[in-house]
Amino acid sequence: MVKAKNEHLSIAEAWELLYRTFNGRIEGSSVEVSPDDGLWHVLADDVQAERNVPHYPVSAVDGYALKSDATSNASPATPVILKPHEYSWVNTGGALPLGTDAVAMIEDTSLKGDGDLYVYRALTLGSNVRSVGEDVAKGDVIAYEKDQVMPSLCALFVACGVRRIKVRRRPKSIYIPTGDEIVSPEDLTPSQELPPGKVVDSNSALLRGLFDGWGMSLDIHSLLPDDKEIIREAIRNAAGQYDLVLVGAGSAKGEKDYTAPAIAEEGKLLLHWLRMRPGRPVIVGEVNGKPVVGLPGFSMSTMAVAWTIVYPILCLLSGMDIPREEILRRAIGAGEVVNVGLLLPHSSPQGVEEWLRLKGVQIGEARYVWPLKSGASSISSMAEADAFALLPAEATEYLKGEPISAYFVLPVPWEKRALFQGSDDPAFRRLVRYVRHEGADLAIRNVGSLGGIAALSRGEAHVAACHLLDPATGRYNDSYIDALKPHDQKWIRKVIFLRSQGFILKEGNPKGIKGVKDLARKDVRIINRQAGAGTRVLLDYLLQESGISPSQVQGYNVQTNTHIDAAARVEWGLADVAVGVKAVADVLGLDFIPITWEPYELVIPEEHVGHPGVQALLSAIENPLWRKEVEELGGYRWPE
Amino acid sequence: MVKAKNEHLSIAEAWELLYRTFNGRIEGSSVEVSPDDGLWHVLADDVQAERNVPHYPVSAVDGYALKSDATSNASPATPVILKPHEYSWVNTGGALPLGTDAVAMIEDTSLKGDGDLYVYRALTLGSNVRSVGEDVAKGDVIAYEKDQVMPSLCALFVACGVRRIKVRRRPKSIYIPTGDEIVSPEDLTPSQELPPGKVVDSNSALLRGLFDGWGMSLDIHSLLPDDKEIIREAIRNAAGQYDLVLVGAGSAKGEKDYTAPAIAEEGKLLLHWLRMRPGRPVIVGEVNGKPVVGLPGFSMSTMAVAWTIVYPILCLLSGMDIPREEILRRAIGAGEVVNVGLLLPHSSPQGVEEWLRLKGVQIGEARYVWPLKSGASSISSMAEADAFALLPAEATEYLKGEPISAYFVLPVPWEKRALFQGSDDPAFRRLVRYVRHEGADLAIRNVGSLGGIAALSRGEAHVAACHLLDPATGRYNDSYIDALKPHDQKWIRKVIFLRSQGFILKEGNPKGIKGVKDLARKDVRIINRQAGAGTRVLLDYLLQESGISPSQVQGYNVQTNTHIDAAARVEWGLADVAVGVKAVADVLGLDFIPITWEPYELVIPEEHVGHPGVQALLSAIENPLWRKEVEELGGYRWPE
């Protein structure tokens, strides 16, 4: 394994290294362009005004141009009377006729039928006149080297007669995706299934989007196999034509990770590994004097490295001198960086900076964020996040309510978003759209039935849903809510649908499973759900009813957190039965034996009933369009 | 004059009206595009995953895939030994071979020479495996109507096999510049002088840049004359093809302001005048169901209306549901919105919201902003601003230090920027670039010599420069500094150059002026500088030396604030003589009679000498490149 000179750096240490190595690297290469074409570029030279602004004496009002001397004794009582040849009308922006030096405003004059102008106010030289060069004098330096050409500066150049400006050339970048297991989305016909072991290249789309957001362009190289010589040649060629080369995946130390050796053989390795998570496997090298960055394969890792390494390099190459505290904000494309309290406690690993994906909610008067799924491999949580935070390497245990500094990328409808915690359900998830049609928003956090009402009791949600069977009574939810609801609160309950729970079985039911009794068979293996899940409570009730002890059931102790994962394990052959909803069996094309209709019940603390998001939710569940969607899903029934 | 139904609204009232009128106006028109092409668009429909992610059981590590059951008794002391057919190597991301259900990490195993694998740790089903649908289940709603397609969402679509998404079509906009006095910059050949009374169209460049920053496109119509029928026809045609029509200038009530009547005749006027400054003359109308906005002519007014009216309309048309507090931030393209203290007191007009153009500085530990030139007509101050603030209609008098909420558009090098206040000088201004080469920054505020040392004494600047002659002693600066310097401070002084002050005269010196004595002539008229300007003090000294009383001098009481404006009035024929520096006479091609070499002296409170910006300034004045520039300007001499 080749070794880089610098390994396991912190982000700050990496930035020092990047600054020392690449600052001003393409400084020499400036181009001359028109102000329009120079928009957003960084100036490579000072710019001087080519003309005065204004370049002639300009009337600042609509009125009568005249010689101010003539009005020196004018007053409302003793107007000065001017003959037609002594004044002329000028519009705002119009040139003062030669010999005039002031403009009388309409309200200070009256024009008589015979053409005489009565002036009721004494004017001094230059009254209501913008003089030559008042805004900008010809020859003035109007912009300095290193200024970025913003739209207003562009307008100033045009106004000052500047036709050509010298700007830093913007870096040309290329991304080279690699990996035997990667398939380009374009190479997959619509009807073609993605074979197992193959992964579609989504990082090209991600990087293209990030570059676009930064106002930078990115070329995408054709997909390369895991072949060191091919990758090496591609890096060599790219470093000849581009200012920045990105290489996808292969940045770790697996047997097929060729980015590091390829860079080392073509140039030099500067850095390997960051003390950051996700995004630890990153490589920075130099080939032909050009920075080459090796990116990790997972999307969230790629994005984290794009923010912390790629964007800072682009700034250095394009001459953008941005203070460090501002670099990450711009890289992330965030608006405000806000201190917000954590809705839930969080453990962060010591010794590495950790990226959190966050979603925001306001409960009562307080605003919170909660962390979404944290795995580097989760693309969904990265796409769902309103905000991101980079936790420092030192801190480890964050308490509930502890403020963290969050970079918001999406506007949060703080006042209108209701937070749902509770049982996962495919039909329920489709309500979000109808809630939005009502002008509100709904955020969903799947924590299971018991988790939902526990969250309500801790004041961490506006609404929950549960389907918890009490094996002792055979009734749903009552005993659980009684146990968890604070005594001083009133919780409103509403069953929104009944859903068919049953056995999810391999297609064709090869083990011939017919009912609960079959779960005790030695050749039948189940996959269970986590403690607190309504579905697990249902299974326990069914087993108890049939007099089967959990120890008789193969796989009883193997558990998973969602309907879909349980069903997928059945599909995958690791279990013969899962308990779950019909909709999920349908998605995976599995068999389904209905067991019971269970009520899916909303629970809303009375104090939140008036919340706009909750109101919209209550209205959305009556929406016939949603009801139609649910009926099409199948496995649902409306309450009587 | 046609009247709109709503006149003189506040911004909030205007937004209510816009929301009521245009929200979802092009809602129906959605288009189906690829995820890549949908970047930044707003979804017109929910999006469901077309495949599970992952779609096969995936190894989350590099290691050995095996059956977890076989390892149930493994420990470091009692490893389980697997034969080659009982395990297989998998890379991270690789598919688990059929029949295996867990992956042992390399560090928990040892591979023997005979191919036996020793496993030192018991694995449970699914260890180090990402199961099917773990991140996203097929059929899951992965994005909702009204979500904006960010790069990460785009990547998620690709990963989930989504090939087409329904998005809101982005609005097509056109800008129609109008005005007899306007010249398109393309119509001016490089050698052509802009005739008096003509103004170059810089608003098209400004608007194009603003739209580009918003990620929106804007077409520019050819320039139209002030002709109501032509403008009316252009609006009618544009409203047929575009979703938003902007009309440049003509939004006030001047005799050639045709936007309002043209809109009224083609459709209806919704709004005229905003209680905002700059940007009061604005029109919003509706033609063919499309919003038509009449913009004022001045650039800063145009920008203010673009921020407050045009961008909100674009959001409504493209279905972007952005909270109000966020709209202005995005419109302005600002990063953080920060509360910063005013460096100087400010009077804001009552009853209108006022836009301030601001520049930021840190003095000691405190961060401040100060307002730049406030006229609607100043393009330079709009381009120079780091930040903008919208002052509420109620507040009027702001004290020094009073915090205002500022939208920062440019990153401020807070720790490295020195603030200079003092005497205006063209050579001094060229130092900024060399200060930046030293990695620091210099902001210049021209307040005259006396203003500069007064600012130092109030702690409002890091450095000043002055050239104040004491008529009593004939010495420069000493007595003024003695009078203003706080007793407990030490101020460092350094003459950086001597500059030639003299009489600026019309080309060819038609009045035959030779010296100070000529200023007492009845046919000679001067233009004076403001009280406190070093140049005015010099004139007073010269008059006193020659025994001329100010009352004998024509024009003594007419004053202006800068060298260039004084010189421009001579060029314009309103004065025969101005006192000023040679460099300015050269710029306007005027005659110059040198009177004296005056020292231009830097003054730096000792506490600021170590400031990085001041250090860079002290180093820049020794820079031979700057010295060469100054020598080429002419009229400067280095101190002995």
Side-chain angles (χ1 to χ4, degrees), chain A residues 180-197:
Chain A
D180 291 340
E181 78 284 14
I182 306 294
V183 178
S184 177
E186 295 84 37
D187 292 345
L188 218 58
T189 62
S191 61
Q192 212 174 344
E193 283 278 320
L194 190 60

Side-chain angles (χ1 to χ4, degrees), chain A residues 36 40 45 57 125 131 135 140 145 147 163 188 208 212 378-380 429 433 436 565 569 572, chain B residues 36 40 45 57 125 131 135 140 147 163 188 208 212 378-380 429 433 436-437 565 569 572:
Chain A
D36 268 0
W40 312 122
D45 203 351
L125 181 144
S131 56
D135 195 22
D140 264 5
E145 190 181 331
D147 278 345
R163 292 161 173 279
L188 218 58
R208 197 158 25 205
D212 192 75
S378 174
I379 312 190
S380 66
R429 259 181 280 140
R433 144 186 219 167
R436 292 197 185 184
D565 191 48
R569 286 175 193 233
W572 179 19
Chain B
D36 269 357
W40 311 123
D45 202 352
L125 181 144
S131 56
D135 194 22
D140 264 5
D147 279 343
R163 293 161 173 280
L188 218 58
R208 197 158 25 202
D212 192 77
S378 174
I379 311 189
S380 65
R429 258 182 281 138
R433 146 186 217 168
R436 291 196 185 184
H437 282 183
D565 191 49
R569 287 178 191 232
W572 180 19

Side-chain angles (χ1 to χ4, degrees), chain A residues 119-165:
Chain A
V119 181
Y120 298 102
R121 189 173 175 166
L123 297 169
T124 55
L125 181 144
S127 291
N128 300 318
V129 175
R130 297 172 52 217
S131 56
V132 173
E134 180 187 279
D135 195 22
V136 181
K138 185 176 169 184
D140 264 5
V141 177
I142 51 174
Y144 297 100
E145 190 181 331
K146 298 199 180 183
D147 278 345
Q148 194 181 6
V149 182
M150 308 299 281
S152 53
L153 189 52
C154 197
L156 179 65
F157 291 153
V158 172
C160 294
V162 174
R163 292 161 173 279
R164 306 296 288 173
I165 53 175

Side-chain angles (χ1 to χ4, degrees), chain B residues 317-639:
Chain B
L317 294 180
S318 53
M320 285 171 65
D321 204 354
I322 300 173
R324 297 202 169 181
E325 63 260 46
E326 175 77 357
I327 288 182
L328 272 186
R329 194 192 66 73
R330 292 193 178 206
I332 296 170
E336 301 206 45
V337 187
V338 186
N339 273 315
V340 198
L342 277 167
L343 183 64
L344 311 164
H346 175 75
S347 291
S348 183
Q350 179 114 35
V352 299
E353 290 170 85
E354 184 192 17
W355 283 104
L356 290 188
R357 287 153 263 188
L358 302 166
K359 232 168 150 64
V361 68
Q362 177 169 332
I363 297 178
E365 295 299 305
R367 292 183 175 182
Y368 297 100
V369 285
W370 75 91
L372 301 172
K373 258 187 284 185
S374 65
S377 63
S378 174
I379 311 189
S380 65
S381 64
M382 163 179 122
E384 195 193 345
D386 297 322
F388 298 87
L390 182 64
L391 301 182
E394 308 80 49
T396 49
E397 295 301 326
Y398 288 83
L399 305 176
K400 175 178 168 177
E402 199 162 330
I404 59 170
S405 177
Y407 295 87
F408 279 87
V409 290
L410 295 177
V412 178
W414 293 105
E415 268 112 53
K416 294 178 179 171
R417 173 183 285 171
L419 172 56
F420 166 93
Q421 297 209 48
S423 170
D424 175 30
D425 182 85
F428 185 80
R429 258 182 281 138
R430 301 204 178 195
L431 278 165
V432 173
R433 146 186 217 168
Y434 301 99
V435 168
R436 291 196 185 184
H437 282 183
E438 308 271 337
D441 193 29
L442 180 68
I444 293 178
R445 191 162 183 265
N446 294 319
V447 293
S449 290
L450 201 59
I453 56 175
L456 278 192
S457 76
R458 291 192 301 267
E460 291 169 2
H462 295 103
V463 51
C466 54
H467 53 99
L468 286 160
L469 185 61
D470 184 344
T473 64
R475 292 178 59 85
Y476 276 90
N477 302 335
D478 297 351
S479 53
Y480 298 88
I481 290 179
D482 285 349
L484 283 167
K485 187 179 73 61
H487 295 299
D488 57 344
Q489 289 188 15
K490 193 172 167 209
W491 287 5
I492 315 296
R493 293 167 56 177
K494 184 177 176 67
V495 173
I496 52 175
F497 48 68
L498 300 151
R499 58 183 202 176
S500 180
Q501 285 265 35
F503 291 144
I504 297 173
L505 309 162
K506 243 191 140 62
E507 201 181 345
N509 192 3
K511 293 262 165 98
I513 291 159
K514 297 202 177 62
V516 183
K517 294 224 178 316
D518 290 314
L519 303 191
R521 278 164 50 185
K522 283 276 172 259
D523 66 330
V524 169
R525 187 181 178 87
I526 74 157
I527 170 82
N528 205 348
R529 291 288 306 281
Q530 84 278 19
T535 301
R536 181 180 181 128
V537 175
L538 172 65
L539 175 68
D540 289 343
Y541 179 72
L542 295 172
L543 293 175
Q544 188 190 312
E545 262 196 336
S546 304
I548 300 170
S549 117
S551 63
Q552 292 173 266
V553 179
Q554 311 297 315
Y556 181 88
N557 291 320
V558 180
Q559 62 184 48
T560 178
N561 288 328
T562 63
H563 287 268
I564 182 75
D565 191 49
R569 287 178 191 232
V570 172
E571 186 194 26
W572 180 19
L574 290 168
D576 303 305
V577 192
V579 181
V581 295
K582 181 170 179 299
V584 161
D586 289 350
V587 163
L588 295 181
L590 298 170
D591 276 19
F592 183 77
I593 302 176
I595 310 168
T596 186
W597 288 97
E598 64 172 17
Y600 185 86
E601 190 171 38
L602 280 192
V603 185
I604 311 166
E606 199 175 31
E607 58 173 324
H608 295 318
V609 171
H611 185 287
V614 175
Q615 280 296 310
L617 173 62
L618 291 173
S619 164
I621 60 181
E622 307 296 336
N623 190 318
L625 293 171
W626 174 68
R627 295 197 156 218
K628 188 156 168 281
E629 272 197 59
V630 175
E631 283 157 16
E632 282 166 6
L633 272 179
Y636 291 92
R637 219 171 69 189
W638 305 114

Side-chain angles (χ1 to χ4, degrees), chain A residues 27 40 62-63 65 73 77-78 104 165 193 220 263 304 325 422 436 439 441 465 534 540 545 558 567 577 582 589 620:
Chain A
E27 189 151 4
W40 312 122
D62 290 347
N73 296 315
T78 59
I165 53 175
E193 283 278 320
I220 309 281
I263 293 174
E325 63 258 47
R436 292 197 185 184
D441 193 30
D540 289 342
E545 263 195 336
V558 180
V577 191
K582 181 170 180 299

Side-chain angles (χ1 to χ4, degrees), chain B residues 17-29 168-169 243 268 270 285-291 313 315-319:
Chain B
L17 175 68
L18 296 180
Y19 191 87
R20 282 200 312 274
T21 317
F22 299 115
N23 186 31
R25 178 58 62 94
I26 60 167
E27 190 151 4
S29 43
R168 297 271 178 87
R169 190 168 61 66
D243 304 299
K268 60 181 168 187
L270 299 169
E286 200 179 335
V287 173
N288 186 31
K290 313 291 181 64
I313 293 179
C315 288
L316 291 172
L317 294 180
S318 53

Side-chain angles (χ1 to χ4, degrees), chain A residues 185-212:
Chain A
E186 295 84 37
D187 292 345
L188 218 58
T189 62
S191 61
Q192 212 174 344
E193 283 278 320
L194 190 60
K198 293 288 180 184
V199 175
V200 79
D201 169 29
S202 56
N203 285 345
S204 293
L206 176 65
L207 288 166
R208 197 158 25 205
L210 291 171
F211 272 68
D212 192 75

Side-chain angles (χ1 to χ4, degrees), chain A residues 32 81 125 159 198 229 268 280 293 395 432 456 555 565 630:
Chain A
E32 222 179 73
I81 302 163
L125 181 144
K198 293 288 180 184
E229 288 313 308
K268 60 181 168 188
R280 200 174 70 92
V293 180
V432 173
L456 278 192
D565 191 48
V630 174

